[in-house]
Amino acid sequence: MRAGFIVTGTDTGIGKTVFSAALAGALGASYWKPVQSGLEEETDSDTVRRLSGLPPERILSEAYRLALPASPHISAAREGVTIEAARLVLPNVDGPLVVEGAGGLLVPLAPGLLTIDVFARMGLPVILCARTSLGTINHTLLSLEALARRGISIHGVAFLGDPADEEEAAVAAFSGARRLGRLPRVDPLDAAVLACAFRESFDLALFR
């Protein structure tokens, strides 16, 4: 079985790209973002390239690069593109692979195709990134339930943000999902500081 993880989030903009960069760097993995929506600002692949410390060849090209920063099915439609599941298959790489999804689990990619459907076909265990601000219990439990209903392997939950021990404990208690750790806010956000924060916040043995 291929080594690696899918990194997804309970929502967009919660920091899963920063977590993906830290995880890929710590594992010496390859990184792949299958679908990128929005090209005007730094893309997620660009962010991982800047923050992971990985050599350039470990940052794989996206299957789809869409200009509009919107839900991928909307961005694709604006460009006359149809995102096809057949193009979203895991690339062959040496060593582990970190795959980052677009937004949350139920983000549409094309008519009848959700992000979670692609994850189910990929077969890699999923790490769910969850913010620690208000509302995280509900959002995280809903996401975990969606994964479980489709029989997708859940590696655990990585929390992102300020300390929220009671909320993190509630998610673990209600879901039974493993609590991997919490990545705090990283300032300044650069490769060296991020790598140090990841080592201090997570047991790397959990990802081996």
Side-chain angles (χ1 to χ4, degrees):
M1 181 176 178
R2 181 163 314 178
F5 301 98
I6 293 167
V7 176
T8 188
T10 56
D11 201 351
T12 191
I14 65 170
K16 70 179 182 302
T17 300
V18 173
F19 175 84
S20 295
L23 176 62
L27 296 177
S30 295
Y31 167 87
W32 186 44
K33 173 92 173 187
V35 180
Q36 172 68 48
S37 293
L39 302 177
E40 289 188 3
E41 299 180 357
E42 185 177 57
T43 67
D44 292 341
S45 294
D46 291 336
T47 298
V48 172
R49 186 177 293 108
R50 176 170 58 85
L51 294 178
S52 66
L54 293 171
E57 62 271 17
R58 293 276 185 184
I59 313 298
L60 308 181
S61 298
E62 301 92 335
Y64 292 93
R65 289 173 55 86
L66 306 166
L68 181 68
S71 178
H73 77 295
I74 296 174
S75 301
R78 293 283 181 88
E79 296 184 24
V81 172
T82 298
I83 296 175
E84 299 176 358
R87 287 186 58 186
L88 303 179
V89 296
L90 296 176
N92 291 317
V93 297
D94 294 326
L97 174 66
V98 172
V99 179
E100 183 187 352
L105 289 164
L106 300 188
V107 168
L109 299 175
L113 182 65
L114 297 171
T115 296
I116 197 170
D117 300 325
V118 174
F119 291 168
R121 295 170 187 172
M122 287 179 173
L124 289 178
V126 168
I127 296 172
L128 179 66
C129 290
R131 55 187 174 81
T132 57
S133 53
L134 185 64
T136 194
I137 297 174
N138 178 65
H139 295 157
T140 307
L141 292 178
L142 284 171
S143 296
L144 291 169
E145 185 172 302
L147 290 166
R149 287 184 61 187
R150 289 164 175 80
I152 298 174
S153 174
I154 302 168
H155 188 72
V157 180
F159 292 93
L160 311 175
D162 298 327
D165 287 342
E166 291 176 304
E167 288 81 357
E168 293 178 35
V171 167
F174 279 103
S175 68
R178 178 163 44 186
R179 185 178 174 184
L180 296 171
R182 179 183 59 83
L183 185 66
R185 300 178 189 276
V186 178
D187 186 20
L189 183 54
D190 60 32
V193 177
L194 178 60
C196 181
F198 187 86
R199 288 194 302 268
E200 293 176 350
S201 304
F202 296 92
D203 180 359
L204 194 56
L206 293 175
F207 305 98
R208 297 295 190 185

